[in-house]
């Protein structure tokens, strides 16, 4: 199929519809408004449903209801709105329902700003809802990758019966890039025979629920969920390794920040300084496998983020004391520049000598 | 031998956990009988609340979904919009519906969602042990209003049905009670009507059912029925507030 030029947020809507999502529940918040706007225009054309909820809290609970009915369903929001959705996300995970949640991250805390940020790393990977649950979290770095991962997110959600979050920053939502809607391989998915769609008098009632009043029942449920999360850890880690051969410094960066880091790497290369990049594509599970074998030249990691430092904790965990972990970040809607990153890396190399 | 009374197929065989004399059980039976009589049990998805009736999903003999506290109307919206030909109802207490879920109930009516809500008003938080609800009467004691509800610090009990009746999309609104057999028969009629309104696709319907909580009111079941009649009905007048005909 030919490439079309699309704004990130609209591409999200188009990709969801392409993936068979006909149900969208959302609430306006900048910088993701083009997603609900696109869905309100396009979903009715394919016999789908768009509802503008009264709040993010209601929107995520509508998602929970629709997911319980077995349909492919999505919501999108931005940071403060995602904070409000956390209770519902925990219920969706607890009841083991598939759903896709998009977060076009803006600066925080509080009302923060409407500019791009990556300060929801913790909110995405550690959750904000109660209990031991995990989301599969994708972090695309360009609009094409957003479109590909978003479609896959629906398959993964169905496969694991678990909510999947797709995280982009405001930049990805607003930028125009050429995208191609590729033919996707057919994925065999289990029938949704658990859905609450009416018994028709033919079977026992299905119950969608996350309540287990007996402690032994809830523990058993948690053990089962944890086994599922382990399966995700084993099978779903994704990353890109860039310029890792003979790298002295290894940057860890995701999303649009990784693109800026690549620019910095190319400039430093011309000066004969070798810097590598590990770009997590899944934020959870964190791509531990990328860190198993490191080039012998590596002297340090640096986590580069559009935040005051959140992913750095995971980099420290996987480094496990092997190498020092440094940090460079901008926040509040300030975008890291290649020059800023280069300056920091020069400082590190000076110090590492 | 003629069968005089038979348990409705609308309820499962599970024994309910409600306290002796609690009228939640009666209200369950009425809803279940209506679902059976309208022959829609196999086409219905119910949404259970957080509150004493949280386990309603074990009792109603139809597909069920358990919602977060107050969010049942939003969950029901998600279900109904995915399965527009099915019947969807919520069953909610007054803490669930009138306090934490006040926004969701207003907007389910505002959107004229074609669902039915059974609103059990017992003027108190039952499950958490008798705290004040927005529906607690002035002077009524609660564990968080130990001297009785005082309007100077807590305002006045919320009349949900009257409030919802001002919303155009709420096409069926009726307040009933279950404190005596005649009242129970009337309550059932209203519940049936509310489901018929949904089947006809006319809009949102709600039946507020005045209910007892002998445990947290600190009364015997009989005394609780009398207290409901003497205190709740004067403040929460019974009757229909809206029918689809009037809503036009
Ligand atoms: C988010 C959240 N807040 C508080 C609670 C605790 N809680 C459980 S039931 C309940 C009150 C229920 O009262 P009501 O809706 O009146 O129902 P009743 O028990 O009287 O039938 C509360 C506050 C909860 N489960 N979740
Ligand atoms: S606490 Fe009150 S509302 Fe709850 S079951 Fe007992 S009597 Fe009924």
């Amino acid at each position: 199929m030919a490439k079309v030029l699309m704004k990130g947020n609209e591409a999200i809507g188009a990709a969801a519809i392409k993936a068979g999502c006909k149900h969208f529940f959302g609430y306006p918040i900048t910088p993701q408004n083009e997603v609900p706007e696109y869905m309100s225009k396009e979903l009715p054309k394919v016999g789908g449903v768009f509802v503008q909820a009264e709040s993010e809290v209601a929107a995520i609970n509508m998602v929970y209801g629709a997911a319980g009915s077995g349909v492919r369903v999505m919501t999108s929001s931005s940071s403060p709105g995602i904070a409000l959705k956390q209770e519902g996300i925990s219920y969706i995970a607890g009841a083991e329902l598939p759903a896709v949640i998009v977060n076009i991250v803006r600066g925080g805390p509080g009302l923060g700003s409407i500019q791009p940020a990556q300060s929801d790393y913790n909110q995405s990977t550690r959750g904000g809802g109660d209990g031991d649950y995990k989301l599969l979290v994708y972090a695309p770095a360009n609009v094409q990758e957003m479109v590909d991962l978003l479609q896959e997110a629906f398959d993964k959600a169905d496969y694991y019966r678990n909510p999947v979050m797709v995280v982009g920053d405001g930049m990805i939502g607003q930028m125009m890039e050429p995208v191609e809607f590729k033919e996707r391989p057919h994925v065999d998915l289990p029938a949704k025979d658990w859905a609450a769609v009416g018994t028709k008098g033919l079977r026992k009632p299905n119950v969608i629920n996350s309540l287990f009043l007996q402690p032994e029942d809830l523990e058993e449920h948690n053990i089962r969920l944890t086994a599922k999360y382990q399966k995700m850890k084993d099978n779903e880690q994704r990353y890109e390794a860039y310029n890792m051969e003979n790298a002295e410094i290894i940057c860890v960066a995701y999303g649009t920040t990784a693109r800026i880091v690549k620019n910095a790497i190319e400039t430093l290369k011309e000066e004969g300084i070798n810097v590598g990049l590990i770009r997590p594509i899944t934020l959870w599970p964190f791509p531990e496998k990328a860190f198993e074998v490191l080039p012998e030249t590596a002297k340090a990691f640096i986590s580069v983020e559009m935040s005051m430092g959140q992913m750095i904790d995971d980099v420290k965990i996987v480094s496990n004391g092997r190498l020092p972990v440094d940090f460079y970040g901008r926040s509040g809607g300030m975008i890291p520049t290649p020059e800023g990153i280069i300056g920091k890396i020069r400082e590190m190399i000076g110090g590492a000598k | 031998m003629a069968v005089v009374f038979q348990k409705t197929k609308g309820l499962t065989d599970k024994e309910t956990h409600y306290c002796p004399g609690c009228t939640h059980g009666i209200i369950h039976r009425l809803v279940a009988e209506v679902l059976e009589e309208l022959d829609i049990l196999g086409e219905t998805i119910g949404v259970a609340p957080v509150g004493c009736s949280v386990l309603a999903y074990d009792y109603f003999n139809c597909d069920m979904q358990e919602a977060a506290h107050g969010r049942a109307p939003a969950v029901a919206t998600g279900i109904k919009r995915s399965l527009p030909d099915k019947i969807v109802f919520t069953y909610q207490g007054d803490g669930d519906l009138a306090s934490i879920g006040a926004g969701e109930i207003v907007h389910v009516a505002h959107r004229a969602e074609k669902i039915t809500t059974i609103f059990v008003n017992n003027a108190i938080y039952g499950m958490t042990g008798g705290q004040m609800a927005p529906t607690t009467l002035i002077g009524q004691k609660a564990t968080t209003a130990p001297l009785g509800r005082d309007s100077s610090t807590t305002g006045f009990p919320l009349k949900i049905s009257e409030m919802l009746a001002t919303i155009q999309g709420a096409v069926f609104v009726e307040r009933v009670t279950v404190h005596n057999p005649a009242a129970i028969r009337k309550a059932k009629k209203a519940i049936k009507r509310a489901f018929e309104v949904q089947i006809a696709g006319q809009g949102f319907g709600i039946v507020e059912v005045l209910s007892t909580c002998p445990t947290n009111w600190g009364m015997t079941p009989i005394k609780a029925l009398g207290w409901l009649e003497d205190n709740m009905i004067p403040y929460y007048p019974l009757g229909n507030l809206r029918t689809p005909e009037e809503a036009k």
Side-chain angles (χ1 to χ4, degrees):
Chain A
M1 230 175 102
K3 289 198 175 190
V4 281
L5 198 63
M6 281 190 106
K7 197 176 195 177
N9 281 338
E10 291 181 346
I12 290 170
I17 293 174
K18 194 95 182 141
C21 167
K22 289 193 176 171
H23 294 78
F24 182 92
F25 304 91
Y27 187 80
I29 184 169
T30 309
Q32 61 82 56
N33 288 323
E34 295 84 357
V35 185
E37 284 164 2
Y38 182 90
M39 292 312 234
S40 71
K41 182 161 63 93
E42 297 300 326
L43 275 174
K45 294 183 192 165
V46 295
V49 172
F50 166 84
V51 178
Q52 180 169 320
E54 64 269 33
S55 67
E56 287 87 351
V57 173
I60 194 69
N61 282 285
M62 290 175 190
V63 168
Y64 170 72
S69 307
V71 301
R72 286 198 156 177
V73 55
M74 182 171 93
T75 186
S76 71
S77 190
S78 181
S79 312
I82 295 292
L84 276 178
K85 287 182 204 272
Q86 293 287 7
E87 178 202 37
I89 293 172
S90 164
Y91 273 70
I92 294 169
E96 294 194 81
L97 296 178
V100 174
I101 301 136
V102 175
N103 182 6
I104 301 299
V105 183
R106 60 188 246 182
L111 204 46
S113 78
I114 57 170
Q115 304 301 326
Q118 294 182 316
S119 42
D120 281 0
Y121 183 89
N122 287 346
Q123 191 178 211
S124 310
T125 60
R126 269 64 173 169
D130 56 302
D132 290 312
Y133 73 93
K134 289 287 176 194
L135 310 179
L136 180 54
V137 184
Y138 289 121
N142 55 56
V143 180
Q144 181 66 56
E145 197 174 40
M146 171 64 93
V147 158
D148 295 340
L149 288 174
L150 197 92
Q151 293 178 79
E152 214 180 325
F154 284 95
D155 290 340
K156 296 295 178 190
D158 281 347
Y159 179 76
Y160 288 105
R161 285 182 61 183
N162 204 69
V164 177
M165 185 176 274
V166 181
V167 176
D169 53 65
M171 254 192 304
I172 259 200
Q174 298 302 322
M175 65 174 59
M176 295 269 278
E177 280 186 336
V179 289
E180 185 186 356
F181 290 88
K182 303 167 198 157
E183 276 312 310
R184 294 190 314 126
H186 173 80
V187 187
D188 274 324
L189 293 166
K192 295 182 173 179
D193 51 8
W194 43 263
V197 293
T199 65
K200 287 208 167 292
L202 300 174
R203 56 160 170 78
K204 286 209 159 115
N206 281 343
V207 177
I208 306 292
N209 176 37
S210 62
L211 178 70
F212 297 83
L213 283 173
Q214 298 304 321
E216 47 282 15
D217 293 347
L218 181 55
E219 186 176 54
E220 194 184 305
H221 177 61
N222 276 323
I223 289 170
R224 223 168 34 71
L225 288 180
T226 302
K228 178 164 87 175
Y229 303 142
Q230 185 58 48
K231 201 166 144 194
M232 290 183 195
K233 273 190 176 180
D234 294 342
N235 299 321
E236 303 302 336
Q237 291 182 31
R238 264 195 231 177
Y239 60 92
E240 178 195 356
Y242 182 82
N243 203 48
M244 289 290 282
E245 216 175 300
N246 302 322
E248 278 181 75
I249 303 287
I250 299 171
C251 297
V252 187
Y254 68 94
T256 45
T257 305
R259 296 168 69 157
I260 304 166
V261 169
K262 280 185 185 174
N263 274 337
I265 288 174
E266 289 310 312
T267 306
L268 286 165
K269 216 189 245 173
E270 286 163 21
E271 293 177 26
I273 300 173
N274 260 328
V275 175
L277 167 69
I278 293 173
R279 176 172 75 89
I281 297 172
T282 50
L283 301 187
W284 201 94
F286 192 72
E288 294 169 8
K289 289 175 186 172
F291 296 78
E292 275 167 11
V293 184
L294 301 171
E296 277 177 14
T297 45
K299 293 196 187 81
F301 289 115
I302 175 169
S303 187
V304 185
E305 307 178 42
M306 272 194 272
S307 79
M308 297 308 288
Q310 298 193 5
M311 181 176 65
I312 183 175
D313 293 349
D314 278 336
V315 179
K316 282 183 178 169
I317 290 169
V318 286
S319 173
N320 200 15
R322 286 178 293 170
L323 294 175
V325 181
D326 214 323
F327 176 75
Y328 180 77
R330 299 298 303 270
S331 93
M334 298 302 293
I335 314 291
T337 57
E339 295 70 39
I341 296 166
I342 289 166
K344 175 72 194 181
I345 288 173
R346 281 217 185 94
E347 223 177 80
M348 286 171 73
I349 290 190
K353 263 179 189 154
Chain B
M1 210 172 80
V3 178
V4 184
F5 179 82
Q6 206 170 16
K7 192 173 152 265
T8 166
K9 288 194 184 70
L11 292 174
T12 62
D13 292 331
K14 221 171 205 149
E15 208 173 300
T16 70
H17 67 288
Y18 296 112
C19 306
C22 173
T23 44
H24 261 304
I26 296 174
I27 302 165
H28 275 36
R29 178 166 58 80
L30 297 184
V31 174
E33 285 176 358
V34 165
L35 295 178
E36 186 187 10
E37 286 166 22
L38 293 173
D39 197 21
I40 52 174
L41 266 175
E43 305 301 319
T44 296
I45 298 99
V47 183
V50 172
C52 277
S53 46
V54 65
L55 295 177
Y57 60 75
D58 273 343
Y59 307 145
F60 287 113
N61 196 12
C62 60
D63 277 2
M64 294 291 295
Q65 203 162 334
E66 170 19 55
H69 197 19
R71 315 298 173 217
V75 175
T77 298
I79 299 170
K80 187 74 182 192
R81 294 297 187 109
S82 306
L83 306 166
D85 300 331
K86 302 288 168 177
I87 305 303
V88 181
F89 75 93
T90 72
Y91 184 105
Q92 304 176 255
D94 47 337
D96 194 79
L97 183 146
S99 189
I100 195 168
E104 280 76 8
I105 198 66
V106 165
H107 285 281
V108 79
H110 159 233
R111 287 189 306 271
E113 296 291 346
K114 296 168 188 71
I115 70 160
T116 305
T117 289
I118 309 300
F119 168 36
V120 180
N121 179 0
N122 59 12
I124 206 149
Y125 281 41
M127 191 187 206
T128 39
Q131 295 83 5
M132 194 189 88
T135 45
T136 296
L137 296 177
I138 298 298
Q140 184 188 341
K141 283 189 178 159
T143 57
T144 50
L147 302 176
R149 181 171 184 174
D150 175 356
S151 64
S152 71
T153 51
T154 63
F156 302 88
L158 205 51
K159 294 184 179 181
I160 286 288
S161 289
E162 283 79 353
M163 187 174 98
L164 292 179
T166 65
I167 300 172
Q168 201 167 343
V171 297
F172 185 84
V173 182
E174 186 158 330
R175 186 183 286 119
V176 299
T177 170
V178 288
H179 73 284
N180 66 41
I184 292 172
R185 278 192 294 277
K186 266 197 192 155
K188 183 169 168 185
K189 246 189 213 151
I191 292 169
K192 194 167 200 170
R193 198 64 196 98
F195 276 100
E196 284 166 349
V197 163
Q198 179 179 175
I199 292 167
Q202 289 169 304
F204 174 69
I206 180 167
V207 180
E208 175 175 347
V209 189
L210 302 184
S211 186
T212 62
C213 179
T215 301
N216 290 302
W217 291 358
M219 296 174 198
T220 63
I222 300 283
K223 230 176 151 205
L225 294 172
W227 190 87
L228 184 158
E229 183 169 17
D230 297 342
N231 297 280
M232 286 184 78
I233 295 176
Y235 189 82
Y236 296 116
L238 305 178
N240 185 279
L241 289 152
R242 223 157 133 90
T243 61
E245 294 69 46
E246 291 167 6
K248 270 192 188 129

